[in-house]
Amino acid sequence: MTTTRPSVAVIGGGISGLVAAYRLRRSLGSVADITVVDDSPRLGGKLRTIDLGGGPIDIGAEAFIARRPEVPALLAELGLTDQIVYPAGLSPLIWSQGSLNRLPAGTLMGIPASSESVRDLVDEQTLSRIAAEPGAPFEWTRGSDCSVAELVSQRFGDQVVSRSVDPLLGGVYSGLAETIGVRAALPTLAAALDAGAQSLTDAVAAAVPTPTPGPVFGALRDGYGILLDALRQAADATFVRGEASGLRRDGKGWNVDPLGSVDAVILAVPAPRAAVLLAGVDADIARIASGIELASSAVVALRLPGQVDLPQNSGILVATDADLTAKAFTLSSRKWTHLADRGEHLVRVSFGRFGASEIVDRPDGELIELARADLETVTGITEEPGASFVQRWHGGLPQYSPGHTEIVAEIESGMTQFDGLEVAGSWLHGVGVPACVAVGTTAATRIFERVAR
């Protein structure tokens, strides 16, 4: 080792930072000084579990992709495998044109491989356009990128974008098809296009994953708070509440204000914040990172009486050409059996998309009333909630804009010149919890390799 007592600062106490701290503790052992700095009053970043009166409920991310290995493996390490639960198997709906419609089947993030899949959502002219698309001239430059909206609207029309694609992308990125790039958000589609697909229809058909047995998603019975607490305890780090205000080289190590000198640093913060800290290290990398924009959102959680006639569906997505303020409804007590067992209904109403974040700053009471009004519009439910909670996520989700993969590659390539400095977070290789666990693990592994040689 470079020192008998290596020291590492992790800036950011979200899931990426906590995983990094935990991995560092496991690899460096009890002798290491590991410090986590976070300016929030609580750890967990965009993950948060609250008690709404009947038990815990997640008001940030609530699920993980069960077919990725990162989260199940991490839970197994921490002795939390028995916390894993799976959805009830109900499908979501889409609110469009003043009515509830089934979610199109056989699509790739809402992009259809046939006109039949979106028949309930679009007009006859659009259906004819989709059906004729394979015969229309098509050009795609291998390795190029564009927004999802640009590609889909040109080939299938605007109705497909607003009524099928936008609702799904909004749930993942709090963004719009026009702000999200094909290559970063839909890598299998980009691969099919690069391979020479003769039409968008052919590319989607090639990119749609083959159904496999088993649930797609999982969750934690007692919420992500259980995982956050376990990581915090297992990391055995010093947790400092405050803001890291500066970062610079310090001999063979790094100096972090206000901590002082450390052997290594992991920046597990949103891209704009990482850019500020990197400004004194490399102006070019900082400039590139500062260009990654963020979307803000809000979640209103409602606890409703058990006799309420909630639709037998997992949720309701909202078309962007619909006359609603909310962008989505998660019917949590329908979606998750362990929540249904409580005897009451739990609904999460989501607000805010990229470029329209003003809704997020409305007063709590106003957001709750908007949530109730929109829920009444789509379901007819008028009952008073027994409890409610408003959670705002300012700058919660990065926008994976066209060219995002190249931007990240350039940043990561530039970072290799700085021994003992790594980045992590949802702005790198995916916004989901498994992706954040992966980048936190990668950052910690690289730091271990640096301080242990």
Side-chain angles (χ1 to χ4, degrees), residues 99-184:
S99 66
L100 292 171
N101 303 269
R102 63 182 178 85
L103 184 76
T107 72
L108 183 69
M109 196 60 77
I111 308 174
S114 71
S115 59
E116 189 60 33
S117 64
V118 291
R119 179 167 295 279
D120 296 341
L121 292 176
V122 302
D123 60 22
E124 289 297 327
Q125 183 179 356
T126 300
L127 290 173
S128 297
R129 182 173 179 175
I130 297 169
E133 191 269 341
F138 181 67
E139 293 184 4
W140 175 267
T141 302
R142 181 181 174 88
S144 65
D145 200 6
C146 66
S147 73
V148 177
E150 180 181 352
L151 177 63
V152 177
S153 64
Q154 285 180 357
R155 304 301 294 182
F156 292 156
D158 293 340
Q159 288 184 6
V160 174
V161 174
S162 61
R163 300 175 187 177
S164 185
V165 181
D166 271 344
L168 287 158
L169 284 176
V172 177
Y173 297 98
S174 287
L176 298 163
E178 66 185 32
T179 67
I180 304 300
V182 171
R183 195 162 293 278

Side-chain angles (χ1 to χ4, degrees), residues 292 342 386:
I292 298 175
R342 296 178 186 176

Side-chain angles (χ1 to χ4, degrees), residues 7-10 253-254 256 262-266 419-421 447 450-451:
S7 56
V8 184
V10 178
W254 298 89
V256 180
V262 293
D263 294 316
V265 177
I266 295 176
D419 199 17
L421 179 63
I447 293 300
R450 185 262 186 220
V451 300

Side-chain angles (χ1 to χ4, degrees), residues 383-435:
E383 280 80 355
E384 184 86 18
S388 58
F389 189 91
V390 177
Q391 175 66 53
R392 294 173 179 81
W393 301 113
H394 291 100
L397 285 171
Q399 297 302 285
Y400 278 39
S401 61
H404 183 81
T405 54
E406 289 77 14
I407 289 171
V408 170
E410 189 172 357
I411 291 171
E412 292 184 324
S413 176
M415 293 291 294
T416 60
Q417 65 185 299
F418 302 115
D419 199 17
L421 179 63
E422 298 291 337
V423 291
S426 62
W427 55 277
L428 291 169
H429 299 291
V431 298
V433 174

Side-chain angles (χ1 to χ4, degrees), residues 39-56:
D39 61 358
S40 172
R42 58 170 189 84
L43 295 173
K46 305 308 179 291
L47 302 183
R48 187 177 185 186
T49 305
I50 65 165
D51 191 323
L52 204 61

Side-chain angles (χ1 to χ4, degrees), residues 346-369:
L346 296 167
V347 176
R348 300 180 356 152
V349 187
S350 300
F351 297 93
R353 287 186 173 95
F354 179 76
S357 60
E358 64 279 354
I359 183 69
V360 175
D361 292 319
R362 295 194 187 185
D364 285 6
E366 188 173 338
L367 281 174
I368 291 169
E369 287 309 308

Side-chain angles (χ1 to χ4, degrees), residues 52-307:
L52 204 61
I57 179 174
D58 283 314
I59 52 172
E62 63 163 5
F64 58 87
I65 299 175
R67 292 171 183 172
R68 286 190 58 155
E70 293 90 350
V71 174
L74 180 62
L75 293 171
E77 290 177 32
L78 296 167
L80 296 175
T81 296
D82 62 352
Q83 279 283 326
I84 298 177
V85 293
Y86 300 106
L90 301 176
S91 60
L93 300 168
I94 289 182
W95 176 263
S96 176
Q97 308 162 82
S99 66
L100 292 171
N101 303 269
R102 63 182 178 85
L103 184 76
T107 72
L108 183 69
M109 196 60 77
I111 308 174
S114 71
S115 59
E116 189 60 33
S117 64
V118 291
R119 179 167 295 279
D120 296 341
L121 292 176
V122 302
D123 60 22
E124 289 297 327
Q125 183 179 356
T126 300
L127 290 173
S128 297
R129 182 173 179 175
I130 297 169
E133 191 269 341
F138 181 67
E139 293 184 4
W140 175 267
T141 302
R142 181 181 174 88
S144 65
D145 200 6
C146 66
S147 73
V148 177
E150 180 181 352
L151 177 63
V152 177
S153 64
Q154 285 180 357
R155 304 301 294 182
F156 292 156
D158 293 340
Q159 288 184 6
V160 174
V161 174
S162 61
R163 300 175 187 177
S164 185
V165 181
D166 271 344
L168 287 158
L169 284 176
V172 177
Y173 297 98
S174 287
L176 298 163
E178 66 185 32
T179 67
I180 304 300
V182 171
R183 195 162 293 278
L186 303 168
T188 58
L189 180 62
L193 292 167
D194 287 347
Q198 297 301 298
S199 67
L200 179 56
T201 299
D202 291 343
V204 173
V208 170
T210 302
T212 57
V216 177
F217 298 104
L220 276 68
R221 178 180 294 103
D222 294 322
Y224 273 119
I226 291 292
L227 173 59
L228 298 174
D229 287 344
L231 287 171
R232 177 182 55 79
Q233 294 174 14
D236 192 24
T238 299
F239 292 91
V240 175
R241 181 180 173 184
E243 184 175 84
S245 57
L247 174 67
R248 61 186 183 276
R249 261 298 191 189
D250 185 13
K252 293 184 178 181
W254 298 89
N255 188 283
V256 180
D257 294 331
L259 299 182
S261 296
V262 293
D263 294 316
V265 177
I266 295 176
L267 302 179
V269 291
R273 182 64 194 147
V276 171
L277 292 169
L278 288 167
V281 178
D282 189 300
D284 288 337
I285 294 177
R287 174 184 53 78
I288 297 167
S290 68
I292 298 175
E293 298 184 284
L294 307 177
S296 296
S297 61
V299 172
V300 177
L302 304 173
R303 194 183 86 233
L304 299 169
Q307 67 270 22

